[in-house]
Amino acid sequence: MKYTKPHLPYEKQADQLLERGLIADRAELIQKLSQVSYYRLSGYWFPFRDFPGEQFKPNTSLDEIWNRYAFDRRLRFHLLDGIERIEVYIRSRLTYEFTFQHGAFGYLEAKNFPGILPSEHHKLIVKIEKEVLRSSETFIEHFNKKYQDSHPLPPLWMVAELFSFGTMLSLLRGVNANVRKPIADDLNLDTSVLLSWIRSLNGVRNMCAHHGRIWNRQFGDKPIIPRKDNDWKTPVQIRNDRVFGILTVIKYCLNTIAPQSQWPMRFRELLDGFSNIPMNQMGFPMNWEDCPIWKI
C-alpha cells in the first residue's frame, strides 16, 4: 500500500480539525499547529476521537488537548530530574566497585566484561575513545598533557564523567556480577531487577530527551517488579507498563539515594496543577498514595 496523504498548509489542517468537531478559535489553532505540528498533537487528541472514525467526541476543545500536551511536557522534565539523580548515583557506585576490583584502567581489558562479547567491548572502547577525543573538559586536557605518553585513555573515574546513560548501561551489563551486587544490595534489589530498572530508565530518558509523549504511553521495555517485596503489590498493585510504574521505580530509588529530595512533593504539585488529567491512563490506581513506597 502506498502512503498518499498530501502536505497540507496550516490553514487547511485547522479547517480539517474544525470540520471534525474540534472546538477552537481558528487563528489560535493555526498558531498551535505551527508551533507543535499536526502529527505531534495527534497523539494527544487521539483519546478524544470517536475511534475508529476521524470525528471528535462531543465538546472536545483545543484547550483540553493543549492542557494534556502541557502536562506531558512538565512530566518529562520531572522524570528527567529523578532519572538524573539515579544515573549519577549508579555511575558513581559502578566506577567505585569496578576500579576497586580491577583498577583504574581495567575497563580496557575485555576479560573484565564477561557479560558482553569481546566485539561489544571493543565497540565500547571505541565509543569512549571518541568521547575523550572530542571532550573539552579541563580534567581530560590536563590528563592528556601529563600522562598520554603512558596511557592512551584516562582512568575510569575520569572517562565515566563523559558517559551517556547508554554507555553506563553497557558497562553495568558487561561487568562481573560481583561488581553489580554491592550496588544492587544498596537498593535491596536482585541484580537482575537492577539491570531491568536501569535499562527501562534509559529508554524513558531517551523518550524524554527526544520530547516523546509519555503520559498515556504503554511501555514496551518494562521494569521488573520485585517479587519478594510486598510493597509493590499491597495494598496497591503496581503496573510496570505505564508511567506510574516508572515513577514508582524512581521514588523507590530516591528513598535510598536521596531521602531528603523534594522530588515527590514537586510531583504532587504537578498533579495538583493539572487536576483534570485522567490518572488511569498513566497506570495510576485509585488508591496509589496508599502504596508504602510513596508514603516514605
Side-chain angles (χ1 to χ4, degrees):
M1 182 182 292
K2 289 186 177 181
Y3 189 84
T4 58
K5 291 184 179 180
H7 166 86
L8 288 179
Y10 294 126
E11 292 78 9
K12 287 193 175 181
Q13 293 177 19
D15 291 341
Q16 181 173 269
L17 293 171
L18 293 170
E19 288 168 7
R20 291 174 179 173
L22 180 66
I23 300 171
D25 175 78
R26 185 174 182 271
E28 182 186 3
L29 179 55
I30 291 170
Q31 181 187 39
K32 299 294 188 191
L33 290 169
S34 67
Q35 289 175 341
V36 175
S37 89
Y38 182 103
Y39 188 76
R40 181 171 177 78
L41 270 183
S42 68
Y44 298 90
W45 71 56
F46 183 84
F48 295 96
R49 276 178 48 189
D50 192 10
F51 189 78
E54 297 285 353
Q55 291 294 117
F56 287 101
K57 295 175 182 176
N59 302 316
T60 297
S61 69
L62 174 63
D63 289 343
E64 193 169 8
I65 293 168
W66 192 260
N67 188 59
R68 295 195 184 182
Y69 177 79
F71 170 78
D72 194 47
R73 182 172 178 272
R74 294 276 301 276
L75 178 61
R76 288 195 300 272
F77 291 152
H78 193 72
L79 284 165
L80 285 171
D81 178 38
I83 292 171
E84 178 195 353
R85 294 166 187 257
I86 297 169
E87 178 184 1
V88 170
Y89 173 80
I90 296 295
R91 187 171 63 191
S92 171
R93 292 289 290 114
L94 178 58
T95 301
Y96 178 89
E97 294 297 336
F98 185 89
T99 55
F100 174 73
Q101 296 190 34
H102 302 295
F105 300 96
Y107 71 95
L108 297 171
E109 300 182 41
K111 67 179 183 180
N112 295 327
F113 294 86
I116 57 177
L117 296 171
S119 59
E120 291 180 275
H121 175 261
H122 176 71
K123 290 178 182 177
L124 177 63
I125 298 303
V126 170
K127 183 185 289 187
I128 292 172
E129 287 173 342
K130 290 179 179 178
E131 289 294 335
V132 170
L133 188 62
R134 66 170 168 249
S135 174
S136 59
E137 292 284 358
T138 303
F139 62 87
I140 295 292
E141 292 176 354
H142 172 74
F143 178 88
N144 287 339
K145 287 178 182 178
K146 193 169 183 179
Y147 301 106
Q148 196 169 40
D149 289 343
S150 303
H151 301 283
L153 286 171
L156 182 60
W157 48 75
M158 287 189 187
V159 297
E161 293 300 314
L162 309 178
F163 283 177
S164 66
F165 200 121
T167 302
M168 183 191 73
L169 174 59
S170 296
L171 203 74
L172 184 67
R173 186 167 56 90
V175 297
N176 282 302
N178 58 3
V179 174
R180 284 194 299 268
K181 190 174 186 309
I183 307 169
D185 288 346
D186 287 349
L187 296 168
N188 196 28
L189 298 173
D190 292 336
T191 54
S192 60
V193 174
L194 174 66
L195 268 176
S196 164
W197 285 13
I198 300 305
R199 187 179 64 245
S200 295
L201 291 177
N202 179 52
V204 173
R205 183 192 180 282
N206 289 340
M207 288 179 199
C208 292
H210 292 91
H211 323 299
R213 177 174 44 81
I214 296 291
W215 76 274
N216 67 342
R217 179 185 291 272
Q218 187 167 6
F219 297 106
D221 193 349
K222 301 180 280 291
I224 295 173
I225 299 298
R227 295 179 180 178
K228 300 175 184 178
D229 192 339
N230 285 329
D231 287 353
W232 293 83
K233 302 176 183 68
T234 55
V236 176
Q237 181 71 41
I238 308 297
R239 288 179 56 178
N240 65 350
D241 62 340
R242 296 280 178 171
V243 72
F244 179 62
I246 297 297
L247 289 163
T248 306
V249 164
I250 295 172
K251 177 63 167 64
Y252 177 96
C253 292
L254 293 185
N255 287 344
T256 298
I257 294 170
Q260 77 289 348
S261 170
Q262 297 300 304
W263 186 87
M265 183 186 71
R266 290 195 296 274
F267 179 62
R268 286 186 171 87
E269 290 173 354
L270 173 60
L271 294 179
D272 291 342
F274 291 86
S275 57
N276 62 340
I277 299 294
M279 302 289 283
N280 64 313
Q281 294 184 2
M282 296 187 287
F284 279 72
M286 290 280 293
N287 56 336
W288 69 272
E289 290 186 283
D290 292 335
C291 174
I293 296 165
W294 284 94
K295 285 188 171 182
I296 297 175

